[in-house]
Amino acid sequence: MTTVENGVNVQALLDARAALKDAPEAAQFTWRASAKWQRGVHSTTTIQHFFGLGQEQSHKTEAVFDADHPEVFAAEDNGITPIEYLLVGLASCLTAGVASVAQNRGIQLRSVESIVEGNHDIRGILGVDSDVRNGFNDIKVTFTIDADASKQDIDALVAQSQKRSAVFDALTNPTNVTVEVA
């Protein structure tokens, strides 16, 4: 049997799943992002701390993300738009899932690429037409995967990744969102 190495520690994931089955309270995580307005429609968001496994946690380093709008929106284009970050999240979550599922199923990956496209009618966010929604009308994800597997096995990898994706779930199912002013 050939050893598969996609860089995913599946045993650690399986061990975590087993441990959390007996300690569901430890599985409750709170992810945090903190945004600060810069100028115009430019903001900078930082991410470092989160809560999980019953206590405060930190990433190794703080991640910083700039969000802005392109010049065609009369902005300075200091970063991608906030709605594009949804595409980043979906692409990276599904891709991580493909790698994890492939490792667990003994499928060696050579390359995984995705193109994520969101169709967006901006008349809603601009207030041109109140009947046009503010968000994406639809999103399409197209994977190109080179692996030691059949087309059927690759399709199954993507399907399982989609089934387990937190971002796919958040985008396709209602999520309670509360907005408050401190």
Side-chain angles (χ1 to χ4, degrees):
M1 181 174 162
T2 304
T3 301
V4 173
E5 180 48 58
N6 295 323
V8 179
N9 186 342
V10 171
Q11 190 57 53
L13 295 174
L14 295 173
D15 291 347
R17 181 168 68 181
L20 293 174
K21 187 174 185 179
D22 296 330
E25 66 284 350
Q28 303 308 307
F29 276 64
T30 301
W31 305 104
R32 298 186 191 104
S34 178
K36 183 176 180 180
W37 171 72
Q38 300 298 320
R39 170 184 157 78
V41 293
H42 177 206
S43 65
T44 301
T45 301
T46 57
I47 297 175
Q48 184 163 21
H49 305 288
F50 60 96
F51 180 88
L53 302 176
Q55 63 186 8
E56 287 298 317
Q57 308 280 348
S58 292
H59 291 281
K60 287 181 181 179
T61 60
E62 179 181 74
V64 179
F65 302 91
D66 282 296
D68 203 349
H69 290 82
E71 290 179 345
V72 297
F73 283 175
E76 295 179 3
D77 205 3
N78 290 304
I80 66 174
T81 63
I83 201 162
E84 287 173 303
Y85 276 110
L86 286 176
L87 302 179
V88 171
L90 182 61
S92 55
C93 193
L94 289 173
T95 301
V98 166
S100 297
V101 174
Q103 184 75 38
N104 191 42
R105 293 183 181 180
I107 296 173
Q108 181 62 57
L109 299 173
R110 284 186 287 281
S111 68
V112 179
E113 296 181 25
S114 64
I115 297 174
V116 183
E117 299 173 292
N119 293 312
H120 187 203
D121 184 338
I122 65 167
R123 292 178 299 160
I125 63 172
L126 293 175
V128 173
D129 186 339
S130 61
D131 291 332
V132 174
R133 70 177 291 188
N134 294 328
F136 287 123
N137 299 323
D138 56 73
I139 297 173
K140 179 182 178 186
V141 180
T142 305
F143 274 102
T144 303
I145 299 173
D146 183 12
D148 292 333
S150 68
K151 167 111 171 66
Q152 182 180 6
D153 288 342
I154 291 172
D155 289 345
L157 288 178
V158 173
Q160 184 66 16
S161 173
Q162 181 179 323
K163 181 179 179 181
R164 293 285 177 237
S165 170
V167 178
F168 183 87
D169 179 84
L171 285 172
T172 59
N173 291 298
T175 301
N176 294 326
V177 178
T178 303
V179 179
E180 300 174 343
V181 177

